[in-house]
Amino acid sequence: MRKLIVTLGLTVAITACSREAGYQIDAGTFGNATLNNAQIHNGQLSYAQILGERFANEVPNQINFAFDSAQLDATAQQILIQQADWIRQFPEVRFRVYGHTDAVGSTGYNKSLGLRRAQAVVAFFASQGISRSRLEAVVSFGETRPLIATSDRERRNRRTVTEVSGFVDRHRTVLDGKYAEVIYREYVQSARTRTDIRTERRATATEQQ
């Protein structure tokens, strides 16, 4: 019985090792890094687009509202706090807030309501310490871009969407429209320990005295 078990184990191992290279199906990520680099250098892809995709993937980028309201409820505020935390990490980036409504009401009223909703988000960001100068002109689409096609009340259509819109002009960390220093700050400095060498040297000199 013991020999049989060993034989079966060897068979499984040999089978596993005999698979040809490339037998797994690529999920679509192979070569993405090279493609991104090529698109950036030839102008097809901008750093603002990359950051915009990151923002949308890493935090919820929209909130919803009650009917005929521009008030931020507790759920909306929690989402906006997440957005604000992300926004503070990139002081060189601008953002735009889009306001939307459902189809109930006149076009003019809904456009005004969508604008008030977007302005409420901007005001909340300002209360979180984010400069209004980084929040570009607020745009309202009113009822013209619903998520759900219906003429009835629909909460999912009553929303604001926050998006990356570009870089702050002449910001000290932006080099020729690129964000080399952003990468340095985010990835390199985050790996450094919080040790102050000068402080350590000063402490050592004091101990020697």
Side-chain angles (χ1 to χ4, degrees), residues 117-137:
R117 286 171 174 167
Q119 289 174 331
V121 173
V122 170
F124 185 86
F125 285 153
S127 74
Q128 298 295 305
I130 298 171
S131 172
R132 286 178 180 264
S133 65
R134 297 177 54 206
L135 304 170
E136 294 189 21

Side-chain angles (χ1 to χ4, degrees), residues 158-177:
R158 302 192 298 264
R159 69 198 191 280
T160 60
V161 180
T162 307
E163 295 182 359
V164 171
S165 60
F167 288 100
V168 176
D169 293 339
R170 297 181 181 178
H171 194 280
R172 62 183 178 79
T173 61
V174 178
L175 303 177
D176 299 326

Side-chain angles (χ1 to χ4, degrees), residues 49-173:
Q49 287 175 290
I50 293 173
L51 285 177
E53 292 175 1
R54 280 192 54 186
F55 179 75
N57 290 332
E58 295 176 7
V59 296
N61 68 342
Q62 71 176 44
I63 59 171
N64 297 100
F65 293 82
F67 180 72
D68 194 23
S69 173
Q71 296 295 316
L72 304 174
D73 61 22
T75 300
Q77 291 184 35
Q78 288 300 315
I79 292 173
L80 291 179
I81 288 173
Q82 293 180 54
Q83 292 185 14
D85 288 343
W86 200 99
I87 291 171
R88 277 193 294 269
Q89 296 178 53
F90 297 92
E92 55 283 297
V93 179
R94 292 182 182 273
F95 291 81
R96 182 178 290 130
V97 181
Y98 297 90
H100 301 265
T101 71
D102 58 26
V104 179
S106 68
T107 300
Y109 182 83
N110 283 338
K111 191 172 183 65
S112 174
L113 177 59
L115 180 62
R116 286 190 284 118
R117 286 171 174 167
Q119 289 174 331
V121 173
V122 170
F124 185 86
F125 285 153
S127 74
Q128 298 295 305
I130 298 171
S131 172
R132 286 178 180 264
S133 65
R134 297 177 54 206
L135 304 170
E136 294 189 21
V138 178
V139 177
S140 171
F141 288 117
E143 64 188 50
T144 61
R145 295 193 181 181
L147 290 178
I148 308 298
T150 177
S151 59
D152 297 328
R153 296 186 182 187
E154 176 53 61
R155 180 176 176 82
R156 285 170 291 183
N157 290 338
R158 302 192 298 264
R159 69 198 191 280
T160 60
V161 180
T162 307
E163 295 182 359
V164 171
S165 60
F167 288 100
V168 176
D169 293 339
R170 297 181 181 178
H171 194 280
R172 62 183 178 79
T173 61

Side-chain angles (χ1 to χ4, degrees), residues 188-206:
V188 179
Q189 291 187 347
S190 65
R192 292 180 176 176
T193 59
R194 297 183 179 180
T195 301
D196 189 336
I197 296 177
R198 289 174 299 177
T199 302
E200 289 183 347
R201 288 176 178 172
R202 193 179 303 115
T204 302
T206 302

